[in-house]
Amino acid sequence: MAEVDVAPHFGAELRDGFKPANTWVSNGIAWLDDVQQFYRDRSVIEREYSQKLAGLARKYFEKKAKRQSSLSVGDNPTVTPGSLESASMTTWATQLSTVEQTAAEHEKLATQLIASIADPIKHAQFRYEELRKLHVEYAGKLEKERDSSYAELRKVKGKYDNVCQEVENRRKKTDTSFDHSKAKAQGAYHQQLSDMHDVKNTYLIAINVTNKQKERYYHEYVPDLLDSLQDLSETRVAKLNSLWMLGTQLETATLTQRTNLLQHLSSEIPRNNTTLDSMMFVRHNTTNWQDPLDFAFEPSPVWLDEATMATDETAKVFLRNLLTKSKGSLSELRRESDAKHREVDNFRRVRQNVREGKDNRDEVEVVRSVFALQEAAHDLERRKISAEVEVSTITSAAGDLTLGARHHNFKPTTFKIPTNCDLCGDRIWGLSAKGFDCRDCGFTCHSKCELKVPADCPGEQNKDQKKQLKQQRQAEASTAPSAPTNGNAPAGGGLDADDGGLSRSDTINSMNTLSSGRSVSRSSVPTHIDDTDPPKPDMSSKPRIGAGRSRIVAPPPAQYITASSGAGSAASDEQRGKVMYPYQENAEGEITVDEGQDVVILDADDGSGWMKVRAGPHTGLVPASYVEPLPSAPTPTTTTNTTASSSLHPHPHPYPSESSRPASTHSATGSTTSLASTAPSTSGGGGVGTLKKKGPAVAPKRGAKKLQYVEALYDYEARGEGEHGMAEGERFVLVQKDQGDGWVEVERGGRTASVPAAWVREV
């Protein structure tokens, strides 16, 4: 047999090949049953003397032929082995040949074969199988941890998407809120933005942690497990060699006439190097394996963002607290991990001494101890890696935020009396009302708010000082946050410093709209507010409607048309507008207009982002954001579109200017619309001598995407201006689903209003 120059390593050669390696090792351990059963059968046959001894040899030659391939190269080798067999198979063949020539046996040899070989093999098989099962369980645990990391990352991704969606909802709610609640809505929106940044940072950290754990899984954990499995297989071979050697020695002692034959067998067995079988298996099972791709940041479908951590002041508070926790645990984890690894190395040296005969301890028990220590070291290593990645990720993005920080001395506390959070101002609720309390300054907060608390502890305070600080903090917590400046506006959206409106970057959906040539862009303006809650319908026989809410109703197109003030005038006033940006028609039904051109508005924007105008002899559609409606004046030459006025009701308020005109809240295409602050346009005669201005993105016209409808389950009479009346079976376009208040926004006849969510069903 060939000598081994370099011992193979399953971990380095097979990588993610635990399953085939485990099957191969399992077959080798199961094969021990054949070997020990062979000696038992031989003991019986030895008593019957030489006639059945030859038959026994032929029987196990046949078994060897059946299992030779799987024991040599595994069940599914990547390279066809041909007629080759492993070193153990070759030694086994020599053993059977020796048995075939041994025709004389006596009772002593039969008894020794059972007591000295068969029973030890069976015992060793049982113990090796136990160790193999431990490997399988640990492999399952590693895989479960890996899948758990992936699942946790998907969960954080889902949470990030949900928070982004909530930010979008808050943004829309702020845009449609009335004046006396706009500050509160804006504060809630900025708080949600801050939470979104925290979740985003958590998501980015989770990506780095998962990638690092994945790298360790494929480059350390699984290779170490494969090497351990290889050691188990080679230990089995070494044990088998020792028992075979014992069998030959027994035969030599009792069968002196077969001394020469047994000596030949004795010279063959030591040549069965424990690594030869492993080398053959590796050569026939090596595959082209590559590392899985690293995880990358995926922006939310409703909030286009970049793979950079938020480092504004609010986000730094969260990062600073997280960095402090990670750095505090990192040094202890490193010490424990290093100590555990030293213990593993010590036991490995003990095992090597046992194999070399320098130590009399049980090798199986030593392996069991090594395995337990490796598992404990693995747990510490995972925790250490997570802490290291968190520290490096945060410091690389925002620097060492812990320098100069005055951290609170928090302790977990169960509050026995009603207590408010000093950060968010909300009551700390729950059966046990658990939260955190600073031992020094008395700062109290929710458990969820702990990482958001700024590191500004004033130090140890007396009772009166704590009470004063509590009052000051509660007052600050109840004050709505102001809009951020342009320099601190978040990447995803925020308040425009110029006009107080909301703006945000295009989302993925709106980017898809842009690719088709259109998207929505409009200014945030105040809308008409229904100050009174409408009466609720009778709930005695129909589903209960959610709690009433103050709804912001987009005014119908009739609000943009004012009746002629001339008492005796036969003609109506025409609503006029001025084109702010040049527009080139792109589809049938549209017209081309130039900057500064005067047009007559025939049909105002009904929420689709388009309006019908007349420019000279041409009539067609243009983007609503490209036309600035002009205040109507009751001149004798002005007329009103009779078709529109015949179906619209007059509105008590005057025609709103561009700065106060309600923006369209929903798009029939279902794509996400954005609120964008438009730069002041230059009104004048066409802008002679200046470059052409580029207009805002254009919204898709209705019909670009299939609409979603709802059908009325019951008759319903509208109780206010912001509600739709319904007849059973009547269909509406679904604009916005129930947000938890029991109402949905629907559209019919160009008018968007609310109906009870439980009184309709989606169709």
Side-chain angles (χ1 to χ4, degrees), residues 17 108 144 211-212 217 251 293 469 479 483 569 619 647 740-741 759:
K108 179 181 176 181
K144 184 177 180 181
N211 287 335
K212 192 65 176 179
Y217 174 84
E251 288 187 35
L293 297 177
L469 284 174
T479 304
S569 176
T619 301
S647 60
D741 55 6
W759 291 45

Side-chain angles (χ1 to χ4, degrees), residues 27-47:
N27 290 339
I29 294 175
W31 173 54
L32 293 178
D33 187 69
D34 288 345
V35 178
Q36 66 94 15
Q37 189 61 42
F38 159 76
Y39 280 103
R40 295 181 186 277
D41 291 347
R42 181 179 173 182
S43 176
V44 174
I45 294 175
E46 289 289 341
R47 290 185 177 90

Side-chain angles (χ1 to χ4, degrees), residues 200-271:
K200 171 190 171 184
N201 291 339
T202 303
Y203 177 35
L204 292 172
I205 292 172
I207 290 175
N208 292 337
V209 171
T210 303
N211 287 335
K212 192 65 176 179
Q213 298 291 0
K214 172 188 65 63
E215 177 184 352
R216 290 300 183 93
Y217 174 84
Y218 287 107
H219 290 275
E220 181 175 340
Y221 305 150
V222 174
D224 288 347
L225 185 62
L226 287 172
D227 290 340
S228 180
L229 201 62
Q230 178 183 355
D231 288 342
L232 177 60
S233 176
E234 293 173 1
T235 300
R236 171 189 58 80
V237 174
K239 181 68 174 178
L240 192 58
N241 285 343
S242 65
L243 293 175
W244 280 341
M245 181 63 71
L246 177 60
T248 58
Q249 291 172 355
L250 293 175
E251 288 187 35
T252 302
T254 57
L255 303 174
T256 56
Q257 66 275 22
R258 296 294 182 183
T259 301
N260 293 335
L261 181 62
L262 295 178
Q263 287 178 349
H264 172 69
L265 182 59
S266 299
S267 64
E268 287 295 318
I269 292 176
R271 296 178 60 189

Side-chain angles (χ1 to χ4, degrees), residues 165-166 169 549 736-745 757:
Q165 184 64 57
E166 185 62 24
N169 295 339
R549 58 170 179 166
Q736 184 177 25
K737 294 185 178 181
D738 182 13
Q739 300 297 307
D741 55 6
W743 296 83
V744 296
E745 300 285 343

Side-chain angles (χ1 to χ4, degrees), residues 430-487:
L431 295 176
S432 56
K434 292 184 178 179
F436 287 92
D437 178 31
C438 179
R439 293 185 178 93
D440 296 334
C441 67
F443 194 105
T444 58
C445 66
H446 294 95
S447 298
K448 64 180 181 180
C449 296
E450 180 196 4
L451 294 180
K452 303 177 185 178
V453 177
D456 56 358
C457 180
E460 189 172 355
Q461 305 288 309
N462 57 35
K463 185 176 181 179
D464 293 337
Q465 290 173 330
K466 289 182 179 180
K467 184 176 180 180
Q468 184 178 0
L469 284 174
K470 169 67 72 173
Q471 294 174 351
Q472 178 182 351
R473 289 164 177 166
Q474 288 298 316
E476 292 175 353
S478 62
T479 304
S482 59
T485 62
N486 288 339

